[in-house]
Amino acid sequence: MGELLVYIIYNPTAGRRNIKKLTAVLDALTQFGISPQVLRTEYAGHATELARSVARLGGITIVAAGGDGTIAEVVSGIIGTNARLGLIPLGTANVMAREFGLPRKPAAIAKVLASSGGRLLWPGCLQYPSGTKQIFVQMASVGFDASVVHHVHPGFKKRVGRYAYVIQTIRDLFYYRFLPVQIEVDGKIRSVAGAIVSKGCFYGGHYLLTRHANPSERGFTIILFEQGGVFSVLNVGWALLRNRISDLPGVQIIKADQIKILTPEGIPLQADGDASGSTPVEISDAEAPILVAAP
């Protein structure tokens, strides 16, 4: 059997600490006889281009070294091919790595990448009226949390990590308008303050949204927030910290296959922790699943 062919697509905006982690994984891979080629991204969307250019080689593992946004870009480039996705989590939240039970230590990550097989991921897809499509691997949302993501400055996020979102949440509480959002879920229209459309169980790292999601399957778990306003946000935040979102009054958790976020126009959207335009948008399954290297 020949050497496992591995390409690592690395987002260099990660800090010095993450560069050390990447180097440690590379060193550990040599113990398995693997000498991966590292491709560095230079701009937004570049990870997709790089992944697409090497996925055509066939029978390879393409590793996303970055956060959930980098992973989504890489996935966009390999959907429809037989390339396997690998993960070296270097982001702020690393939700997908937790979802798939990926280890944190470099030697253990290398062992997973050197193994064969893995677990399926069926991504989601955002489609805008312009016809533009965007893949997401963990979740997309509309409303207050998406507004926070839109306003977090990348430089500030790089300096303070996930605390940037906490600080921005406090700031946004003073001016977010909490307009009702019309959302169509499998043909039924609902009016809500916000919604999270999730492939998995976790949000923002290790915080639990639901125990019943399965990212390997078609469809989504949707968390609908019926109430808006400052006190509602504070209640949701406190419940999230305690993994008790499902116990809140005014919160519904349902399964769905097709979602349309309709009106009003211009409400912020986010996907996998990155700003992703605004409403309206349609959400459905991506065209095919992919295989993820996982323990």
Side-chain angles (χ1 to χ4, degrees):
M1 186 175 67
E3 178 183 340
L4 181 64
L5 190 58
V6 176
Y7 285 84
I8 296 178
I9 297 177
Y10 167 58
N11 182 350
T13 60
R16 182 179 301 174
R17 179 179 178 182
N18 284 334
I19 293 173
K20 290 181 178 179
K21 183 175 182 179
L22 174 62
T23 302
V25 175
L26 293 174
D27 290 342
L29 283 171
T30 64
Q31 305 301 314
F32 297 95
I34 298 173
S35 300
Q37 182 173 343
V38 179
L39 308 174
R40 294 173 179 260
T41 63
E42 298 177 0
Y43 47 84
H46 195 199
T48 298
E49 298 172 12
L50 292 172
R52 187 175 292 127
S53 69
V54 295
R56 67 187 65 171
L57 298 175
I60 65 173
T61 296
I62 301 177
V63 181
D68 292 314
T70 302
I71 295 170
E73 285 195 16
V74 171
V75 169
S76 296
I78 68 176
I79 279 185
T81 74
N82 64 355
R84 186 180 66 150
L85 174 71
L87 306 176
I88 301 177
L90 302 178
T92 303
N94 300 314
V95 185
M96 186 174 165
R98 179 173 293 274
E99 196 75 50
F100 279 76
L102 207 69
R104 301 176 66 180
K105 294 184 177 180
I109 293 172
K111 184 178 181 180
V112 171
L113 296 177
S115 67
S116 60
R119 181 181 167 194
L120 284 181
L121 165 69
W122 204 300
C125 181
L126 300 169
Q127 181 166 340
Y128 300 92
S130 64
T132 300
K133 294 182 179 182
Q134 179 183 346
I135 295 296
F136 65 95
V137 295
Q138 186 63 29
M139 53 88 184
S141 66
V142 59
F144 180 80
D145 74 320
S147 174
V148 170
V149 170
H150 274 247
H151 291 116
V152 168
H153 191 278
F156 185 54
K157 175 182 170 181
K158 184 176 180 179
R159 289 195 303 273
V160 304
R162 68 179 61 193
Y163 295 107
Y165 292 102
V166 177
I167 295 169
Q168 191 61 53
T169 294
I170 296 171
R171 292 173 176 171
D172 276 28
L173 281 172
F174 290 99
Y175 66 83
Y176 186 74
R177 297 174 61 194
F178 293 100
L179 296 174
V181 176
Q182 301 298 313
I183 180 170
E184 182 180 315
V185 180
D186 287 343
K188 181 178 180 180
I189 295 181
R190 302 166 181 263
S191 181
V192 297
I196 299 172
V197 180
S198 183
K199 292 299 302 184
C201 298
F202 295 99
Y203 177 93
H206 61 279
Y207 303 114
L208 185 69
L209 283 176
T210 173
R211 300 184 186 276
H212 305 295
N214 186 345
S216 299
E217 297 177 347
R218 285 179 173 270
F220 308 91
T221 300
I222 308 178
I223 296 85
L224 299 171
F225 300 96
E226 298 175 344
Q227 302 170 5
V230 172
F231 290 109
S232 177
V233 169
L234 294 175
N235 284 336
V236 168
W238 177 236
L240 190 62
L241 290 174
R242 297 179 296 139
N243 297 326
R244 301 289 295 272
I245 282 286
S246 60
D247 295 339
L248 280 180
V251 172
Q252 290 190 46
I253 301 178
I254 59 177
K255 295 284 190 177
D257 295 314
Q258 299 285 335
I259 302 101
K260 297 180 181 180
I261 303 175
L262 303 170
T263 57
E265 294 186 7
I267 299 295
L269 299 166
Q270 68 89 14
D272 294 325
D274 290 331
S276 298
S278 58
T279 55
V281 70
E282 296 186 18
I283 305 176
S284 59
D285 291 307
E287 62 185 81
I290 62 170
L291 185 66
V292 181

